[in-house]
Amino acid sequence: MPIANGTVLTPSVLALIGMPGLEAVQRWTGTPFCAMYIIALTGNSLLLVIIQSEPSLQEPMYIFLAMLGATDIALSTGIVPKMLGISWFHLPEIYFDACLFRMWLIHTFQGIESGVLLAMALDRYIAICHPLRHATVFTRQLVANIGVGVTLRPAMLVIPCLLLIKCRLKLYRTKLISHTYCELATEDVFVNKFYGLLGAFTVGGLDFLLITLSYTQIFITVFRLPQKEARLKAFNTCIPHMCVFFQFYLLAFFSFFTHRSGTDFPSYVHITLSNLYLLVPPFLNPFVYGVKTKHIRDKAIKMFRSREFPQWLRG
């Protein structure tokens, strides 16, 4: 409902306009994102099947990897279909409550991914720095508790921000959202910005600090190993995790930087980086772990070479 000064009172329907400034080519921008989504969906699904079907992979590291794959599937699925609806089928409308729910899903799964990366770093820290204690520390019960914790932490932290938008902030400058996914703009957003920054530090910032400390301690321990073969083996177990860690947080940094820099960057640059931040990790993670993790690579090769593979694919 429009009111004075061009503001809108809690619109029931919003419109996502995609990438302002790229309207002429927006139809084509959906193609690479669709390809990334299909590859991410296929790769992460295959990763889940391999881990679930192989008893030797029922270890904390691979259980966390399965959680990461499931999170990547959910995160990319929460973004790409609506993005393609905007760019290919000209379907920008979305209900206000559905937009809030999508915001909750996106931020929750971002937080889960960050928490899983922290869990994987801590698992490698114990395995390399305190190998004799790994089996007693990372029990099935602890792994289950970590899974519940990394899920509930962002899910609960995001809810107050959405309640502020729903209940306290009523005036919106426009019903149009210059993005491919929901980012609501209100008349008074100071409280939301403050809480958003607090939540980002509580989840992403704290996780980044702890992951960095874990890998720093891992490097110190590895360099002290007397045998070259032992050092190489320890490095090889950490390389996939570090690759995923760096790609996730580097993209997060660039997305955050362009968003906070005001008008220094065109809006489509920020939107593109935001999309890449959310889609590149799900796209690359199966490749990183499939190539660098021997057990997964061998199982994937065996599965593809098996005569039963076509039957497995169908069913």
Side-chain angles (χ1 to χ4, degrees):
M1 177 186 299
I3 60 174
N5 300 323
T7 56
V8 181
L9 180 62
T10 312
S12 59
V13 178
L14 302 167
L16 296 163
I17 62 176
M19 301 182 182
L22 296 180
E23 290 84 358
V25 296
Q26 187 161 274
R27 185 179 186 85
W28 302 106
T29 59
T31 302
F33 289 118
C34 180
M36 291 172 64
Y37 173 62
I38 292 173
I39 294 172
L41 195 62
T42 303
N44 285 290
S45 297
L46 182 60
L47 201 63
L48 290 174
V49 169
I50 290 173
I51 294 172
Q52 189 275 332
S53 62
E54 182 60 43
S56 65
L57 299 181
Q58 305 302 309
E59 300 177 3
M61 181 177 73
Y62 299 107
I63 294 173
F64 291 139
L65 180 55
M67 291 175 58
L68 187 67
T71 302
D72 284 340
I73 291 173
L75 182 59
S76 55
T77 301
I79 299 167
V80 176
K82 185 59 182 179
M83 181 192 306
L84 298 181
I86 298 168
S87 59
W88 286 357
F89 305 107
H90 307 290
L91 299 172
E93 292 82 10
I94 184 171
Y95 286 106
F96 181 85
D97 290 336
C99 194
L100 283 179
F101 181 66
R102 282 179 177 269
M103 286 181 64
W104 179 78
L105 286 178
I106 291 170
H107 291 299
T108 295
F109 285 123
Q110 283 180 282
I112 292 173
E113 182 141 357
S114 179
V116 173
L117 291 177
L118 173 59
M120 297 171 82
L122 294 176
D123 172 72
R124 290 300 85 199
Y125 166 73
I126 298 296
I128 293 173
C129 300
H130 305 283
L132 298 179
R133 298 175 57 189
H134 184 265
T136 57
V137 171
F138 275 90
T139 61
R140 287 187 174 272
Q141 183 62 46
L142 178 63
V143 171
N145 291 339
I146 290 175
V148 173
V150 300
T151 301
L152 290 180
R153 181 186 59 161
M156 300 303 293
L157 280 173
V158 174
I159 288 175
C161 187
L162 301 185
L163 290 176
L164 285 172
I165 294 175
K166 178 69 175 178
C167 302
R168 181 178 178 274
L169 304 174
K170 300 292 185 180
L171 301 181
Y172 295 79
R173 294 187 293 270
T174 176
K175 294 189 291 185
L176 301 178
I177 301 177
S178 300
H179 216 300
T180 54
Y181 58 86
C182 289
E183 276 195 354
L184 295 177
T186 58
E187 187 181 65
D188 178 14
V189 294
F190 173 78
V191 175
N192 284 58
K193 283 185 176 181
F194 175 79
Y195 187 83
L197 288 172
L198 179 63
F201 175 78
T202 303
V203 178
L206 183 60
D207 289 353
F208 178 83
L209 179 62
L210 293 175
I211 293 172
T212 302
L213 290 174
S214 297
Y215 283 120
T216 300
Q217 189 60 46
I218 287 172
F219 277 125
I220 293 173
T221 301
V222 168
F223 281 123
R224 289 176 178 174
L225 294 175
Q227 297 180 343
K228 182 179 179 180
E229 293 78 8
R231 291 198 297 269
L232 289 176
K233 183 178 179 181
F235 272 126
N236 284 334
T237 63
C238 291
I239 285 174
H241 306 296
M242 289 187 292
C243 290
V244 171
F245 163 66
F246 281 118
Q247 74 180 13
F248 180 80
Y249 282 102
L250 281 176
L251 286 169
F253 169 77
F254 284 116
S255 177
F256 181 84
F257 176 73
T258 56
H259 181 66
R260 298 294 173 181
S261 61
T263 59
D264 294 342
F265 293 91
S267 59
Y268 61 80
V269 173
H270 161 61
I271 295 170
T272 301
L273 286 174
S274 296
N275 290 329
L276 291 176
Y277 162 50
L278 296 176
L279 290 177
V280 167
F283 167 72
L284 288 181
N285 288 352
F287 291 101
V288 173
Y289 287 106
V291 171
K292 296 300 298 182
T293 306
K294 185 178 184 301
H295 293 303
I296 293 176
R297 183 174 67 247
D298 292 346
K299 179 63 177 177
I301 293 172
K302 181 180 178 181
M303 183 178 290
F304 277 105
R305 288 179 176 175
S306 173
R307 293 181 180 179
E308 297 180 357
F309 178 71
Q311 180 180 356
W312 165 81
L313 186 62
R314 289 193 300 268

